[in-house]
Amino acid sequence: MSSRLHIRVFASLCLLVCTAAASYAAPTVDYLRSFGDNTIAGGGLKKPLDVAVDANGDAYVVDRNSVYLRKYGGNGSFLLPIDLDVKPIGFGTGTPGNLYVSDVDEGSVLVYDGTGNVKSIFGDLAFSSSDYVSNSIAVASNGDIYVVDEGAVKLFDNNGSLLNTIGSGGLLRVAVNANGNAYSLNGNDGMVHVINPSGVDLFSFGGYGTNDNQFETPSGIAVDPNGYVYVSDSNQNRVKVFTDLGAYITSFGSYGAGPAELNSPQGLAADDSGSIYVADAGNKRIDVFKLTTAPVPEGY
């Protein structure tokens, strides 16, 4: 082999290694702020179970055993309570400013505007529990609505017409990526099942266990605009971060009440900038973090 060829091969290997190192730099998660504690007049939380964020950056929070959603501005300022007149067992946000709330008594999803006025009702659902389940409604960028019902995910268009039922057996929570693929947490096997809108089970990851890429008590799930997947583990007091293909990246949080610490994290939400909102039930607040350095997603 000529010296020129040796140099060319060596340069190619260096480029490959350097590119991989640049793509897989040490992941960094920044703590940004917390809000919703009892220092906010009228907006103090008792045990937040779920959080969702709309396109304006306003956050909506479900408190345990409450018929109210609490609405906060992007800076954490309390804006108003929203009286749902039903005990929600799941909710999510979508465009244009809609709130989607599961009503266990009527077996339907109520659509509210951002101030609590009912706009429409849809669905013929048979919710198997009257207990609140975080992240059980997700709304895709095209307006399609994913609702967990009896261990499967029912997919509706933005007019409330049923499009498909995907997955089966034990699905409890759902998030959706930019391509419409559902990332669904299964309570039976503790795995995240990734299912496309046609119902094809693409792959799965996670499972019950104590390894970094496993969960003890998975309690919430979200997908950010870049495709990263976040799963909260209430027993471990952590949120675990994965690529869109299910490769473990990092985790954040540890037990405690200080900044960046968690106590029984529940529902998760991602805003349009990629910030992650955590319903920190034990600390009676919402904590906000942001992944600032991570492997490049594959775009699945």
Side-chain angles (χ1 to χ4, degrees):
M1 184 181 292
S2 70
S3 59
R4 181 176 297 179
L5 183 57
H6 274 294
I7 293 171
R8 184 174 298 170
V9 171
F10 179 75
S12 298
L13 288 172
C14 282
L15 179 60
L16 179 62
V17 171
C18 292
T19 301
S23 298
Y24 290 86
T28 303
V29 179
D30 292 339
Y31 167 75
L32 302 182
R33 61 189 178 278
S34 297
F35 63 89
D37 61 19
N38 288 322
T39 62
I40 301 179
L45 299 168
K46 295 180 179 179
K47 190 174 184 180
L49 298 180
D50 205 0
V51 58
V53 184
D54 66 18
N56 297 320
D58 294 333
Y60 302 80
V61 181
V62 169
D63 220 356
R64 185 174 184 179
N65 295 326
S66 176
V67 298
Y68 288 93
L69 289 179
R70 285 178 168 82
K71 183 177 181 179
Y72 299 84
N75 61 356
S77 59
F78 178 62
L79 299 179
L80 74 155
I82 298 176
D83 186 355
L84 301 174
D85 200 32
V86 299
K87 179 185 173 184
I89 63 167
F91 92 111
T93 59
T95 54
N98 289 339
L99 305 174
Y100 299 88
V101 178
S102 300
D103 181 357
V104 66
D105 293 327
E106 299 298 329
S108 59
V109 174
L110 283 72
V111 185
Y112 296 82
D113 65 19
T115 60
N117 297 307
V118 177
K119 299 174 65 175
S120 62
I121 301 172
F122 69 86
D124 183 11
L125 304 162
F127 300 118
S128 56
S129 172
S130 60
D131 295 327
Y132 191 88
V133 179
S134 59
N135 299 125
S136 57
I137 295 181
V139 182
S141 57
N142 68 351
D144 288 347
I145 306 145
Y146 296 64
V147 182
V148 176
D149 182 39
E150 292 194 303
V153 175
K154 293 189 175 177
L155 176 57
F156 299 86
D157 67 16
N158 58 7
N159 294 313
S161 298
L162 181 65
L163 299 175
N164 201 4
T165 299
I166 62 177
S168 62
L171 300 183
L172 294 176
R173 315 175 198 283
V174 64
V176 59
N177 73 0
N179 296 325
N181 295 325
Y183 286 71
S184 302
L185 268 169
N186 190 305
N188 292 336
D189 58 18
M191 301 192 77
V192 176
H193 293 261
V194 183
I195 310 167
N196 72 15
S198 298
V200 177
D201 200 329
L202 301 174
F203 60 93
S204 58
F205 61 92
Y208 288 120
T210 56
N211 294 330
D212 283 341
N213 63 343
Q214 295 177 311
F215 318 112
E216 289 186 50
T217 313
S219 47
I221 188 167
V223 179
D224 75 13
N226 295 313
Y228 299 112
V229 184
Y230 303 77
V231 178
S232 53
D233 192 318
S234 59
N235 241 26
Q236 295 185 4
N237 299 297
R238 292 194 292 169
V239 176
K240 300 190 176 187
V241 189
F242 301 83
T243 68
D244 53 344
L245 292 178
Y248 173 80
I249 301 173
T250 189
S251 66
F252 58 90
S254 60
Y255 177 74
E261 294 180 328
L262 302 172
N263 183 354
S264 189
Q266 302 293 316
L268 303 175
D271 69 14
D272 288 346
S273 74
S275 295
I276 300 301
Y277 293 65
V278 183
D280 191 352
N283 286 326
K284 304 178 181 181
R285 67 192 185 196
I286 304 299
D287 300 314
V288 188
F289 300 83
K290 189 165 187 177
L291 182 68
T292 55
T293 305
V296 177
E298 300 294 334
Y300 205 87

mmCIF file of all heavy atoms in Angstrom, residues 86-90 101-110 125-132 149:
data_model
loop_
_atom_site.group_PDB
_atom_site.id
_atom_site.type_symbol
_atom_site.label_atom_id
_atom_site.label_comp_id
_atom_site.label_asym_id
_atom_site.label_seq_id
_atom_site.Cartn_x
_atom_site.Cartn_y
_atom_site.Cartn_z
ATOM 1 N N VAL A 86 -65.680 18.438 35.292
ATOM 2 C CA VAL A 86 -65.539 16.975 35.279
ATOM 3 C C VAL A 86 -64.211 16.671 35.973
ATOM 4 O O VAL A 86 -63.325 17.514 36.036
ATOM 5 C CB VAL A 86 -65.522 16.373 33.856
ATOM 6 C CG1 VAL A 86 -66.813 16.669 33.126
ATOM 7 C CG2 VAL A 86 -64.329 16.862 33.054
ATOM 8 N N LYS A 87 -64.098 15.465 36.487
ATOM 9 C CA LYS A 87 -62.808 15.038 37.035
ATOM 10 C C LYS A 87 -62.009 14.427 35.893
ATOM 11 O O LYS A 87 -62.335 13.350 35.405
ATOM 12 C CB LYS A 87 -63.005 14.018 38.149
ATOM 13 C CG LYS A 87 -61.702 13.523 38.753
ATOM 14 C CD LYS A 87 -61.939 12.418 39.759
ATOM 15 C CE LYS A 87 -60.616 11.819 40.235
ATOM 16 N NZ LYS A 87 -60.829 10.684 41.151
ATOM 17 N N PRO A 88 -60.956 15.093 35.449
ATOM 18 C CA PRO A 88 -60.224 14.584 34.291
ATOM 19 C C PRO A 88 -59.442 13.320 34.645
ATOM 20 O O PRO A 88 -58.929 13.173 35.750
ATOM 21 C CB PRO A 88 -59.273 15.732 33.953
ATOM 22 C CG PRO A 88 -59.059 16.438 35.252
ATOM 23 C CD PRO A 88 -60.354 16.322 35.999
ATOM 24 N N ILE A 89 -59.374 12.387 33.693
ATOM 25 C CA ILE A 89 -58.487 11.234 33.865
ATOM 26 C C ILE A 89 -57.369 11.248 32.827
ATOM 27 O O ILE A 89 -56.578 10.319 32.750
ATOM 28 C CB ILE A 89 -59.263 9.901 33.805
ATOM 29 C CG1 ILE A 89 -59.922 9.708 32.437
ATOM 30 C CG2 ILE A 89 -60.259 9.803 34.920
ATOM 31 C CD1 ILE A 89 -60.420 8.288 32.221
ATOM 32 N N GLY A 90 -57.300 12.313 32.065
ATOM 33 C CA GLY A 90 -56.229 12.502 31.100
ATOM 34 C C GLY A 90 -56.478 13.788 30.333
ATOM 35 O O GLY A 90 -57.629 14.204 30.177
ATOM 36 N N VAL A 101 -59.684 16.786 27.103
ATOM 37 C CA VAL A 101 -59.834 16.232 28.449
ATOM 38 C C VAL A 101 -60.679 14.962 28.385
ATOM 39 O O VAL A 101 -61.785 14.964 27.820
ATOM 40 C CB VAL A 101 -60.493 17.254 29.394
ATOM 41 C CG1 VAL A 101 -60.693 16.650 30.781
ATOM 42 C CG2 VAL A 101 -59.652 18.523 29.483
ATOM 43 N N SER A 102 -60.173 13.864 28.960
ATOM 44 C CA SER A 102 -60.928 12.609 29.022
ATOM 45 C C SER A 102 -61.963 12.690 30.145
ATOM 46 O O SER A 102 -61.624 12.994 31.287
ATOM 47 C CB SER A 102 -59.983 11.431 29.304
ATOM 48 O OG SER A 102 -59.013 11.306 28.305
ATOM 49 N N ASP A 103 -63.205 12.395 29.806
ATOM 50 C CA ASP A 103 -64.313 12.389 30.765
ATOM 51 C C ASP A 103 -64.747 10.940 30.981
ATOM 52 O O ASP A 103 -65.387 10.329 30.124
ATOM 53 C CB ASP A 103 -65.472 13.226 30.228
ATOM 54 C CG ASP A 103 -66.650 13.288 31.191
ATOM 55 O OD1 ASP A 103 -66.599 12.647 32.251
ATOM 56 O OD2 ASP A 103 -67.623 13.993 30.864
ATOM 57 N N VAL A 104 -64.379 10.373 32.141
ATOM 58 C CA VAL A 104 -64.660 8.963 32.392
ATOM 59 C C VAL A 104 -66.155 8.690 32.504
ATOM 60 O O VAL A 104 -66.636 7.614 32.123
ATOM 61 C CB VAL A 104 -63.918 8.481 33.658
ATOM 62 C CG1 VAL A 104 -64.459 9.166 34.910
ATOM 63 C CG2 VAL A 104 -63.987 6.971 33.796
ATOM 64 N N ASP A 105 -66.931 9.640 33.027
ATOM 65 C CA ASP A 105 -68.361 9.416 33.229
ATOM 66 C C ASP A 105 -69.107 9.294 31.908
ATOM 67 O O ASP A 105 -70.026 8.478 31.771
ATOM 68 C CB ASP A 105 -68.964 10.545 34.072
ATOM 69 C CG ASP A 105 -68.440 10.545 35.492
ATOM 70 O OD1 ASP A 105 -68.156 9.438 36.019
ATOM 71 O OD2 ASP A 105 -68.296 11.631 36.081
ATOM 72 N N GLU A 106 -68.725 10.092 30.931
ATOM 73 C CA GLU A 106 -69.423 10.093 29.643
ATOM 74 C C GLU A 106 -68.709 9.254 28.586
ATOM 75 O O GLU A 106 -69.242 9.056 27.497
ATOM 76 C CB GLU A 106 -69.584 11.529 29.141
ATOM 77 C CG GLU A 106 -70.396 12.429 30.062
ATOM 78 C CD GLU A 106 -71.823 11.934 30.234
ATOM 79 O OE1 GLU A 106 -72.372 11.321 29.286
ATOM 80 O OE2 GLU A 106 -72.395 12.152 31.323
ATOM 81 N N GLY A 107 -67.497 8.785 28.875
ATOM 82 C CA GLY A 107 -66.760 8.000 27.891
ATOM 83 C C GLY A 107 -66.439 8.794 26.645
ATOM 84 O O GLY A 107 -66.586 8.298 25.520
ATOM 85 N N SER A 108 -65.996 10.025 26.841
ATOM 86 C CA SER A 108 -65.743 10.898 25.700
ATOM 87 C C SER A 108 -64.564 11.817 26.002
ATOM 88 O O SER A 108 -64.041 11.853 27.123
ATOM 89 C CB SER A 108 -66.992 11.734 25.382
ATOM 90 O OG SER A 108 -67.356 12.518 26.509
ATOM 91 N N VAL A 109 -64.157 12.554 24.977
ATOM 92 C CA VAL A 109 -63.133 13.579 25.122
ATOM 93 C C VAL A 109 -63.793 14.933 24.900
ATOM 94 O O VAL A 109 -64.476 15.146 23.890
ATOM 95 C CB VAL A 109 -61.989 13.377 24.115
ATOM 96 C CG1 VAL A 109 -61.002 14.531 24.183
ATOM 97 C CG2 VAL A 109 -61.273 12.058 24.386
ATOM 98 N N LEU A 110 -63.628 15.826 25.871
ATOM 99 C CA LEU A 110 -64.155 17.175 25.764
ATOM 100 C C LEU A 110 -63.064 18.090 25.236
ATOM 101 O O LEU A 110 -61.908 18.009 25.669
ATOM 102 C CB LEU A 110 -64.637 17.688 27.119
ATOM 103 C CG LEU A 110 -65.981 17.164 27.641
ATOM 104 C CD1 LEU A 110 -65.881 15.714 28.081
ATOM 105 C CD2 LEU A 110 -66.477 18.012 28.808
ATOM 106 N N LEU A 125 -65.809 5.986 24.071
ATOM 107 C CA LEU A 125 -64.696 5.354 24.745
ATOM 108 C C LEU A 125 -65.169 4.614 25.992
ATOM 109 O O LEU A 125 -66.242 4.892 26.525
ATOM 110 C CB LEU A 125 -63.647 6.406 25.122
ATOM 111 C CG LEU A 125 -63.141 7.239 23.924
ATOM 112 C CD1 LEU A 125 -62.471 8.510 24.392
ATOM 113 C CD2 LEU A 125 -62.175 6.426 23.090
ATOM 114 N N ALA A 126 -64.371 3.673 26.437
ATOM 115 C CA ALA A 126 -64.724 2.861 27.603
ATOM 116 C C ALA A 126 -63.542 2.842 28.559
ATOM 117 O O ALA A 126 -62.890 1.822 28.749
ATOM 118 C CB ALA A 126 -65.098 1.443 27.180
ATOM 119 N N PHE A 127 -63.221 4.008 29.099
ATOM 120 C CA PHE A 127 -62.064 4.120 29.975
ATOM 121 C C PHE A 127 -62.152 3.078 31.088
ATOM 122 O O PHE A 127 -63.165 2.950 31.760
ATOM 123 C CB PHE A 127 -61.972 5.524 30.565
ATOM 124 C CG PHE A 127 -61.826 6.603 29.526
ATOM 125 C CD1 PHE A 127 -62.792 7.584 29.385
ATOM 126 C CD2 PHE A 127 -60.729 6.627 28.679
ATOM 127 C CE1 PHE A 127 -62.663 8.575 28.433
ATOM 128 C CE2 PHE A 127 -60.593 7.612 27.724
ATOM 129 C CZ PHE A 127 -61.564 8.589 27.595
ATOM 130 N N SER A 128 -61.067 2.338 31.268
ATOM 131 C CA SER A 128 -61.095 1.215 32.210
ATOM 132 C C SER A 128 -60.772 1.630 33.631
ATOM 133 O O SER A 128 -60.763 0.802 34.528
ATOM 134 C CB SER A 128 -60.093 0.141 31.757
ATOM 135 O OG SER A 128 -58.794 0.695 31.634
ATOM 136 N N SER A 129 -60.483 2.911 33.857
ATOM 137 C CA SER A 129 -60.168 3.377 35.206
ATOM 138 C C SER A 129 -60.712 4.780 35.392
ATOM 139 O O SER A 129 -60.836 5.542 34.441
ATOM 140 C CB SER A 129 -58.652 3.370 35.422
ATOM 141 O OG SER A 129 -58.315 3.981 36.649
ATOM 142 N N SER A 130 -61.049 5.096 36.638
ATOM 143 C CA SER A 130 -61.469 6.456 36.949
ATOM 144 C C SER A 130 -60.325 7.238 37.578
ATOM 145 O O SER A 130 -60.488 8.393 37.956
ATOM 146 C CB SER A 130 -62.662 6.431 37.924
ATOM 147 O OG SER A 130 -62.301 5.792 39.131
ATOM 148 N N ASP A 131 -59.152 6.608 37.699
ATOM 149 C CA ASP A 131 -57.982 7.271 38.249
ATOM 150 C C ASP A 131 -57.243 8.020 37.148
ATOM 151 O O ASP A 131 -57.177 7.573 36.005
ATOM 152 C CB ASP A 131 -57.031 6.259 38.890
ATOM 153 C CG ASP A 131 -57.653 5.580 40.100
ATOM 154 O OD1 ASP A 131 -58.436 6.238 40.802
ATOM 155 O OD2 ASP A 131 -57.359 4.394 40.325
ATOM 156 N N TYR A 132 -56.644 9.137 37.531
ATOM 157 C CA TYR A 132 -55.933 9.933 36.550
ATOM 158 C C TYR A 132 -54.696 9.194 36.045
ATOM 159 O O TYR A 132 -53.950 8.604 36.820
ATOM 160 C CB TYR A 132 -55.520 11.296 37.126
ATOM 161 C CG TYR A 132 -55.032 12.212 36.038
ATOM 162 C CD1 TYR A 132 -55.935 13.010 35.352
ATOM 163 C CD2 TYR A 132 -53.711 12.201 35.634
ATOM 164 C CE1 TYR A 132 -55.513 13.797 34.290
ATOM 165 C CE2 TYR A 132 -53.281 12.988 34.586
ATOM 166 C CZ TYR A 132 -54.194 13.785 33.916
ATOM 167 O OH TYR A 132 -53.774 14.551 32.864
ATOM 168 N N ASP A 149 -57.090 4.166 25.611
ATOM 169 C CA ASP A 149 -58.394 3.642 26.010
ATOM 170 C C ASP A 149 -58.326 2.121 26.062
ATOM 171 O O ASP A 149 -58.011 1.480 25.058
ATOM 172 C CB ASP A 149 -59.477 4.100 25.017
ATOM 173 C CG ASP A 149 -60.867 3.628 25.415
ATOM 174 O OD1 ASP A 149 -61.190 3.640 26.620
ATOM 175 O OD2 ASP A 149 -61.636 3.247 24.514
#
